Amino acid sequence: MNADPRRLAVLLAVHRAGGVLAAADVLRVTPSAVSQQIARLEGEVGVAVLVRGPRGVSLTPAGRVLAEAAERIEAELVEARKAVAALDEDLTGRVRVGAFQTAIRAVVAPVAAQLATSLPGVELDVEEHELAELLRLQRAGDLDLVLLEQDTAEGPPAELRRGTRDVVLLDEPWRVVVPAAMPVPARLAELSDAVWLGAAAETAAARALGRVSRALGAPLTTRHVYSDFGVALALVAAGLGVALLPALALPGPAGAPGSSGRPGGTRSAPGAPDGVTVVRLPGLGTRRLVLRHRSTRHEPRPVVRAVMAAMTQVAAQVDFG
């Protein structure tokens, strides 16, 4: 057997996402590209790895073996990054990190807790700001690292200036949040006449909502405007509209699907206001978290590189179900 590890990663994405369409969203490729990679993998191993049925796809016994192998490869890469970051045990210094709420909760805070034991000489200063302020502070030299967001289909999160570089941390799926009293949609097209909550301008959510509108072929009806995802959940619970939110914005396990494990699966978000249902639909795309750092002859400093490696490790462990 001569299986290409890159195709194993595609199989793992299909398994985690619950289907070919959802995996294509996560991987930012077309569904046909995913299907082609799976077909080539089956040709390499000589057996079927997926069972396709009316309710989606599931792994064959051989597919489960290969998906588990892909997970082990992924884990080994994470450990390798961790080992490289720990080569210099005498790292000390302060690293100033700027980010927004969901990135702080999912990546920055876990890294701060991890560094307290793995690299006790490293101190993190964390600041929460909006996009424009994050970029201003980094240009002024007041932040070493900033975490930015983008809708993956809409280009980079902000202009990449000379002397800076972006590192992709993770791609998270967008979810639709609807009032519990509303019929659960099975397709995005069923929400074309719905009232949508408007997202603050210059956010990934606003750009993603514009992309959804173009995909539906007609302007969406929007009311209200939010910048805080908790506010959006409360407005949906009050029946004031439906919202497009990233998985990390939802309480409970990040982006965990419903019991169906397939597109169209639903769940009530633990800790969310009563009356909210989270729906996973194909075609919603993903939000990307990007780590931006200065890149010059002297930067990033070793201590900054160690923090970047820790963030990459933590981001790789985020589970969207």
Side-chain angles (χ1 to χ4, degrees):
M1 183 181 72
N2 186 27
D4 189 327
R6 293 171 296 181
R7 296 190 180 111
L8 294 181
V10 174
L11 176 65
L12 184 59
V14 172
H15 174 52
R16 287 175 171 172
V20 170
L21 291 177
D25 280 343
V26 173
L27 296 173
R28 299 191 304 116
V29 298
T30 63
S32 62
V34 173
S35 296
Q36 288 172 10
Q37 291 299 310
I38 294 299
R40 290 174 183 171
L41 176 61
E42 291 177 329
E44 290 170 348
V45 300
V47 293
V49 297
L50 293 179
V51 176
R52 297 165 176 81
R55 293 191 172 185
V57 298
S58 59
L59 297 178
T60 65
R64 283 193 294 272
V65 170
L66 293 173
E68 290 170 1
E71 288 181 327
R72 289 194 296 271
I73 292 171
E74 183 181 73
E76 287 292 333
L77 290 174
V78 169
E79 289 303 314
R81 285 191 291 265
K82 182 178 179 181
V84 169
L87 287 176
D88 189 346
E89 298 179 356
D90 297 324
L91 283 174
T92 60
R94 177 171 296 176
V95 178
R96 298 157 297 180
V97 179
F100 49 94
Q101 185 186 80
T102 50
I104 291 174
R105 187 172 65 233
V107 177
V108 181
V111 164
Q114 180 187 97
L115 293 179
T117 55
S118 63
L119 292 173
V122 178
E123 297 180 52
L124 284 190
D125 281 350
V126 182
E127 299 184 22
E128 180 187 3
H129 295 290
E130 299 295 332
L131 172 64
E133 184 66 1
L134 288 173
L135 296 174
R136 187 191 70 78
L137 289 170
Q138 189 176 51
R139 288 195 298 269
D142 294 328
L143 291 174
D144 297 300
L145 299 170
V146 296
L147 278 77
L148 309 174
E149 64 166 3
Q150 71 177 99
D151 181 55
T152 52
E154 295 296 303
E159 179 186 356
L160 190 62
R161 292 175 177 265
R162 183 177 180 181
T164 59
R165 182 170 297 175
D166 284 349
V167 176
V168 175
L169 289 181
L170 60 85
D171 290 337
E172 58 175 319
W174 292 101
R175 306 293 193 210
V176 171
V177 184
V178 302
M182 178 178 176
V184 177
R187 298 178 299 112
L188 185 58
E190 296 177 24
L191 296 170
S192 59
D193 295 328
V195 174
W196 291 76
L197 300 184
E202 303 304 321
T203 63
R207 291 188 288 273
L209 198 59
R211 176 173 49 77
V212 167
S213 176
R214 292 191 294 275
L216 291 174
L220 297 178
T221 300
T222 59
R223 292 191 60 192
H224 317 291
V225 177
Y226 69 87
S227 59
D228 181 274
F229 293 129
V231 169
L233 286 169
L235 293 176
V236 174
L240 297 182
V242 303
L244 186 66
L245 301 181
L248 290 178
L250 302 172
S259 59
S260 67
R262 62 183 187 275
T266 67
R267 68 179 175 94
S268 295
D274 290 339
V276 167
T277 302
V278 178
V279 187
R280 186 179 68 180
L281 296 174
L284 295 180
T286 57
R287 181 178 77 154
R288 170 166 289 176
L289 266 59
V290 174
L291 180 63
R292 180 164 294 184
H293 65 90
R294 290 191 293 274
S295 179
T296 66
R297 287 185 60 187
H298 305 291
E299 295 187 272
R301 295 171 288 137
V303 67
V304 175
R305 286 199 297 268
V307 172
M308 291 169 57
M311 287 187 177
T312 302
Q313 174 190 352
V314 167
Q317 294 172 345
V318 175
D319 182 11
F320 299 112

